[in-house]
Amino acid sequence: MTNRVQDAIRNTENVVIVGGGLTGLFCALKLAPHPVTLIAAAPLGQGASTAWAQGGIAAAVGDGDSPEAHAADTVAVGGGIVDEAVALGLAREAPARIRDLLRYGVPFDRDLEGRLAVGQEAAHSARRIVHVRGDMAGQAIVAALTEAVRGTPSIRVIEGYNAEALLTEDNAVTGLQLRKAHDAAARPVIVASRAVVLATGGIGHLYAVTTNPKEASGLGLAIAARAGAVIADPEFVQFHPTAIMVGRDPAPLATEALRGEGATLVNGKGERFMPARHPLAELAPRDIVARGVFAEITAGRGAFLDARDALGARFAEKFPTVHASCLASGIDPAKQPIPVAPAAHYHMGGIAVDARGRSSIDGLWAGGEVSSTGAHGANRLASNSLLEAVVYAARIAEDIAGRAISPPARMPAASPVSRNATLPALSEKNLRAMMTSHVGVIRDGDRLAEAVRAFAKLERAADSLALRNMATTALLVAASAWARRESRGAHDRSDYTGENPALAHRTMTTLAAANGVAASLTDHAPAKPAQPNLTVPA
Ligand SMILES: Cc1cc2nc3c(=O)[nH]c(=O)nc-3n(C[C@H](O)[C@H](O)[C@H](O)COP(=O)(O)OP(=O)(O)OC[C@H]3O[C@@H](n4cnc5c(N)ncnc54)[C@H](O)[C@@H]3O)c2cc1C
C-alpha cells in the first residue's frame, strides 16, 4: 500500500471525489484550495470516457445561436421527459464553463478570426460543438485538467483504487470502501468522509458491445443504490449507431461529426437506408439512427458508414482518431466504407440529483454520467454529456464549498462481503452478453423478465463485490426497462410500440424496488407491471 493511501486512511478527509474524468477533475480544481482526495480506478488520463470523446462540447457560442435554442433542441430529442428548467440551466452556463476550460489550457479550435470554431452534430439546429483538432476534444480536456490537478497542492490523487462500497449511517455518508484495482488478493481500505462526490462515469461496459472503457461498469451507480440512493431513469441507455465493428472490445467509435460532415449510412448493397426512416436521414436523433443500423444488420444486409465522397483524402486530417482506428484494422476510410453497429454508449439514467448535484443520501453528491439530472430525458442530445459533466462539477464544488463539513466521529465499519460458497453460473461475460441480447436496442417483456431474474439472483449470490455491483446496476436497468411498458426515446419495446402518454414521466426507483420487480417475476408468476417507487430525492 502506498504512503498516499495510508495518509488518506489516517486523515479523515473533508471531501472525497471518486473519478478522474471531466467531472472529477473539474470538481477538484473548482474546490481548490479546499483539501480534496481524488480517487480513480485507473491512472489519470486512462479508464475514463472523457478521454475518448471525439465530438466535443455543446455550447451556444456561435453567431445567431442562443441558450434557448440549445435547450429547445435538448428537449426535442428527449422523448418528452426532459426537465426543461434543467436543460435551460445547462445551456445558459455552457459559455462560462467553456471559458473556464480555456483558462485551464484546453486548446479549443478557433476560426481565422480567433473565435471558437463550432461544428454541427445530429439534431442540433445550429453549429454549436466546440472541439479540439477535429476529433481530439476528450484527450485534450483530460490532458489539460490532469496537468492542472497535478499542479494543485490541495488535491491528493490516489490512482488504481476502486470504490466498492459507500458507507452510510442513518442515510448520511460516513465513508467509502476501496480496493486496489486488478488485485484479487487486495484487502479493503476504508476512507472516512462526510462528503463524497461520485463522478464514476457510465455503465456501457455492462454490455458486450460498447464504446465505453472497462471502468464504465456502473460501479458508482451500484454502490449508491446499495446504500439506498434514489436512482432515476435507469432504463434509458443510448446506443451509438456507429461503433466500428472490427472485433475490438470496447469498439472504437466513428463520431457523429462524420455524418455532420456528410458521410452517409449504407447497407451491404450500397443503398442508403436512413432517408426512408426520417426526414433528417443520417442526422436524425441517435435512437432512430441506431434502430436503422440495427434493422439492416438484423436483416442480414450489414451497415457501413461511407465517407468516401464527403471526406475522401481529407479524412485523416479532419478525423485523426477515427482514421487511426480504421487503419489499425486494415480499413482505409478514405477509400472504403466502415463497418458499423450500434453499441452501448451513454447512460441517461443514474443517481437522482437536484440542481446542486445532491443525491437522496446526505453528504453524497453525484455528477457527470453516473448522475441523472433530468437534462437528457429518454435520449441525450449529442455532446450534451460533457457539458452536463462540467456544469454540475462546478455546481457541486460551489455547494460543497458553502457547507461546513465535519469529519465523522469514528471510523466507519467495512461493508460485509457476500461469501456464498456456490459460484454463480452467470459470469461477468454472461452478464454482458445478456445485457446486449436482452436489454439492448430492441427489448421485449419476456427477455427483460429473464434478465431481471438472472441479475437479481446474481446480485444476491455473487461472491465478489465487483461482480455483485455490476449485477446491481444491470438489475436496475433491466427492472425499470421491464416496468416501462411503452417505447420512448432510446427505450424501444417490440411488445409496446409507441409512447404511452400516461408514462410521460421520469422513473424514480431504488434497489429495493428493483428487487420487488424481480420477486414479482418468479418463474410461474404472471408478468404484472410493477410500479417503480416514485420517491423524489430531497
Ligand atoms: C467513445 C466515446 C465518445 C464520446 N464522445 C462524446 C462527445 O464528443 N461529447 C460528449 O458530450 N460526450 C461524449 N461521450 C460521453 C462522455 O464522454 C461521457 O459521458 C463523459 O466523459 C462522462 O464524464 P464523467 O466524468 O462522468 O466520467 P468518465 O470520464 O468516464 O470518468 C469516470 C472516472 O471514474 C473512474 N471510476 C469508475 N468507477 C470507479 C470506481 N468504482 N472507483 C474509482 N474510480 C472509478 C474511472 O476510472 C474514471 O476515472 C463519449 C463517450 C465515449 C465512450
Side-chain angles (χ1 to χ4, degrees), residues 32 97 117 120 136 262 283 352 361 382 388 413 460 462 474 476 510:
R97 298 292 78 83
Q120 178 76 58
M136 310 279 282
L283 294 181
I361 296 181
E388 182 189 52
R460 281 194 305 275
L476 279 155
T510 60

Side-chain angles (χ1 to χ4, degrees), residues 29-43:
L29 286 167
K30 280 277 180 185
L31 270 162
H34 194 103
V36 163
T37 295
L38 188 132
I39 295 158

Side-chain angles (χ1 to χ4, degrees), residues 5 33 46 59 67 79 134 151 165 167 213 222 243 247 271-272 331 338 341 357 388 410 423 445 450 535:
V5 178
Q46 298 171 31
L167 308 173
E271 300 158 343
R272 278 179 76 191
I331 297 161
I338 308 165
E388 182 189 52
R410 57 178 181 277
L423 262 182
E450 205 182 315
T535 330

Side-chain angles (χ1 to χ4, degrees), residues 18-24 39-42 46-50 52-56 121 161-163 199-202 211-213 215 219-220 253 345-346 367-370 380 383-387 389:
V18 189
L22 172 57
T23 316
I39 295 158
Q46 298 171 31
S49 291
T50 303
W52 295 4
Q54 297 177 358
E121 280 192 353
Y161 277 76
N162 262 314
T200 50
T211 61
N212 288 194
E215 287 75 10
L219 301 190
L253 183 72
H345 184 61
Y346 182 78
E369 196 169 335
V370 72
R380 172 191 66 133
S383 287
N384 262 357
S385 39
L386 288 176
L387 173 62

Side-chain angles (χ1 to χ4, degrees), residues 72-405:
D73 292 345
T74 303
V75 170
V77 300
I81 56 169
V82 169
D83 183 323
E84 296 187 16
V86 169
L88 190 57
L90 269 193
R92 284 192 172 143
E93 283 170 52
R97 298 292 78 83
I98 298 295
R99 283 195 295 277
D100 283 345
L101 289 171
L102 285 165
R103 271 196 294 276
Y104 286 126
V106 179
F108 288 118
D109 292 341
R110 294 181 183 272
D111 64 17
L112 291 175
E113 282 149 35
R115 290 175 306 198
L116 284 170
V118 277
Q120 178 76 58
E121 280 192 353
H124 283 277
S125 60
R127 293 181 77 88
R128 67 165 71 97
I129 316 302
V130 295
H131 45 79
V132 181
R133 293 193 298 281
D135 63 5
M136 310 279 282
Q139 225 173 300
I141 290 168
V142 168
L145 296 189
T146 298
E147 198 183 325
V149 160
R150 297 227 191 264
T152 304
S154 59
I155 307 173
R156 180 211 319 265
V157 180
I158 297 176
E159 293 152 290
Y161 277 76
N162 262 314
E164 63 176 17
L166 183 71
L167 308 173
T168 57
E169 219 176 283
D170 300 330
N171 198 43
V173 165
T174 53
L176 275 171
Q177 181 167 315
L178 313 178
R179 200 182 295 251
K180 199 168 189 325
H182 315 300
D183 181 353
R187 295 175 62 78
V189 172
I190 306 297
V191 177
S193 175
R194 284 216 183 271
V196 170
V197 180
L198 289 179
T200 50
I203 68 161
H205 215 77
L206 289 179
Y207 285 83
V209 183
T210 181
T211 61
N212 288 194
K214 69 175 179 322
E215 287 75 10
S217 295
L219 301 190
L221 191 152
I223 64 175
R226 296 174 70 76
V230 174
I231 305 299
D233 299 337
E235 66 272 37
F236 294 115
V237 179
Q238 186 172 73
F239 295 87
H240 196 291
T242 54
I244 305 174
M245 290 317 280
V246 285
R248 279 169 56 191
D249 177 27
L253 183 72
T255 171
E256 201 131 25
L258 278 157
R259 281 173 278 135
E261 292 293 330
T264 55
L265 282 163
V266 295
N267 60 24
K269 298 179 188 162
E271 300 158 343
R272 278 179 76 191
F273 50 85
M274 282 313 299
R277 289 185 160 257
H278 194 277
L280 291 173
E282 281 83 359
L283 294 181
R286 251 182 207 177
D287 57 324
I288 293 168
V289 183
R291 285 196 280 276
V293 171
F294 187 79
E296 291 302 308
I297 293 171
T298 310
R301 292 187 285 271
F304 300 84
L305 186 65
D306 191 348
R308 289 175 297 181
D309 290 344
L311 289 162
R314 293 184 301 126
F315 200 116
E317 181 211 329
K318 290 219 63 150
F319 296 98
T321 309
V322 184
H323 190 254
S325 298
C326 290
L327 285 194
S329 306
I331 297 161
D332 180 353
K335 299 186 181 141
Q336 289 167 274
I338 308 165
V340 292
H345 184 61
Y346 182 78
H347 194 206
M348 277 72 78
I351 302 165
V353 294
D354 68 11
R356 294 164 296 190
R358 292 183 187 182
S359 75
S360 61
I361 296 181
D362 193 30
L364 178 69
W365 286 259
E369 196 169 335
V370 72
S371 70
S372 181
T373 64
H376 308 299
N379 197 19
R380 172 191 66 133
L381 182 66
S383 287
N384 262 357
S385 39
L386 288 176
L387 173 62
E388 182 189 52
V390 73
V391 165
Y392 276 78
R395 291 186 188 181
I396 291 169
E398 197 184 331
D399 193 39
I400 291 177
R403 288 213 333 189
I405 294 160

